[in-house]
Every structure is written in structure tokens, then in C-alpha cells.
Amino acid sequence: MDLELLYQRYVNDLYRYLFSLSNDHYLAEDMVHEAFYRAYLFLEGSEVDAVKPWLFKVAYRVFIDYTRKRKRLILKEKLDEQLDYRTPEKQTIDKDGLQNLLRLIRTLSDNEAQAILLCDFHQLKLIEAADILNLNLNTLKSHLIRGRRKLREILQKERSNK
């Protein structure tokens, strides 16, 4: 498989997925490069049938690895959350529809958020998303339904508060 062709075809999809998980442009770029590096190492002697879901799985593993490393920094982040350094620019960005929706998705449980991001945003098949997350298909469907319901409730509460 030609890695350059794969990169050109899927770099934007992986970037959007990893950005939606991390909410950090530079981190998402780094994780995309790490995902393609891992893909390069694996694809050197192997063939993959469904490349897009496989790349998403690799990207998800990169994000999980990053999250595990980041757990050491939780104390500092919790302090920053308590201080809330919200600038007017940040408040304006938060009002933007997609940013607001991604923020709300991050309030859901990890599995619910992942299910929504993979199935609704990146339009992967349910079976592909279940494989990426190492979940049973029915479990993924449950997370997806619960996540969508919670997201609807949160959006309705926000609208009624405005």
C-alpha cells in the first residue's frame, strides 16, 4: 500500500477526528503524524482490507496513549478549571456552533462521545466504530443512543436557559 496516497486521502479525516478528541490543533497534528508513523511501521510488511477504519483505530490508540501519559498532569488542569481564564475571544469561539457542540460532546462519557464522533461526525459504519473502540456492536449502539439522548437533553436545557 502506498502510504503517501493514504496520507493524502485520509489526513484531513484523521485530523478532524483527533482535533475533536483533543480540542488542540497542534496536538491533533502531532497525533496524526504519530498515527501515520505507526501505520507506516505496520504496513511495511502487511496488508489491511478496510484502510479507513483501521487508520481511525490507529489514531484512537494514539489518542489513548496520549491520554494515559497526560493523566499525570491532572492536578494542574483541575486548578486551571477552578480559576477559569475565559477571555472575550474564548467566549466568542464557544458560541460558535460546532465548537459548542464539540464542547457538549466532551461532557458525555468517553464511550458515548467516541460513538457519536465516529458514527455521526465521521460516518463510519457501526461495525467499524465498534471494532475501533473494541466494543460489542450492541454495546456501541447503546452508547450511541444514550449519548444522542443526553446530547439532546443538554441542548434543550441550553436553549431554555437563553
Side-chain angles (χ1 to χ4, degrees):
M1 236 177 242
D2 185 19
L3 189 64
E4 186 175 336
L5 179 64
L6 290 177
Y7 183 83
Q8 291 172 355
R9 186 174 294 159
Y10 298 115
V11 67
N12 292 331
D13 291 336
L14 286 182
Y15 171 78
R16 282 190 300 272
Y17 175 60
L18 290 168
F19 179 78
S20 65
L21 294 176
S22 66
N23 199 34
D24 183 336
H25 166 72
Y26 299 108
L27 179 60
E29 283 184 340
D30 287 346
M31 288 191 290
V32 165
H33 293 294
E34 176 67 19
F36 276 103
Y37 173 70
R38 290 182 186 184
Y40 169 74
L41 292 177
F42 181 81
L43 290 175
E44 211 169 4
S46 306
E47 280 293 318
V48 176
D49 294 333
V51 175
K52 183 176 179 180
W54 181 79
L55 281 173
F56 272 85
K57 190 173 191 172
V58 171
Y60 177 69
R61 298 289 184 256
V62 168
F63 175 74
I64 292 298
D65 290 346
Y66 165 76
T67 304
R68 288 180 182 149
K69 289 177 186 175
R70 196 182 102 202
K71 283 185 179 180
R72 298 178 193 133
L73 303 174
I74 296 249
L75 292 175
K76 182 187 178 304
E77 289 179 10
K78 287 190 178 186
L79 179 63
D80 288 343
E81 286 175 12
Q82 291 172 351
L83 296 175
D84 193 21
Y85 298 111
R86 293 178 57 96
T87 63
E89 293 85 8
K90 178 98 169 114
Q91 291 173 350
T92 303
I93 291 172
D94 285 345
K95 290 180 183 177
D96 186 37
L98 181 60
Q99 289 295 329
N100 188 36
L101 184 59
L102 290 174
R103 179 183 57 81
L104 295 176
I105 288 174
R106 281 190 294 278
T107 65
L108 302 174
S109 73
D110 286 342
N111 284 332
E112 291 168 353
Q114 292 296 328
I116 288 174
L117 288 171
L118 289 172
C119 294
D120 294 342
F121 277 71
H122 297 286
Q123 296 163 355
L124 291 176
K125 295 176 183 172
L126 292 175
I127 192 76
E128 294 170 340
D131 184 48
I132 289 170
L133 298 174
N134 274 346
L135 295 174
N136 182 312
L137 181 60
N138 290 331
T139 305
L140 175 83
K141 288 178 184 178
S142 297
H143 287 304
L144 189 59
I145 290 169
R146 275 191 231 118
R148 287 174 179 163
R149 185 175 4 98
K150 287 179 184 177
L151 198 55
R152 250 190 322 273
E153 290 170 1
I154 293 170
L155 286 169
Q156 288 172 348
K157 284 180 186 177
E158 279 199 355
R159 287 184 192 141
S160 66
N161 290 339
K162 288 183 180 181

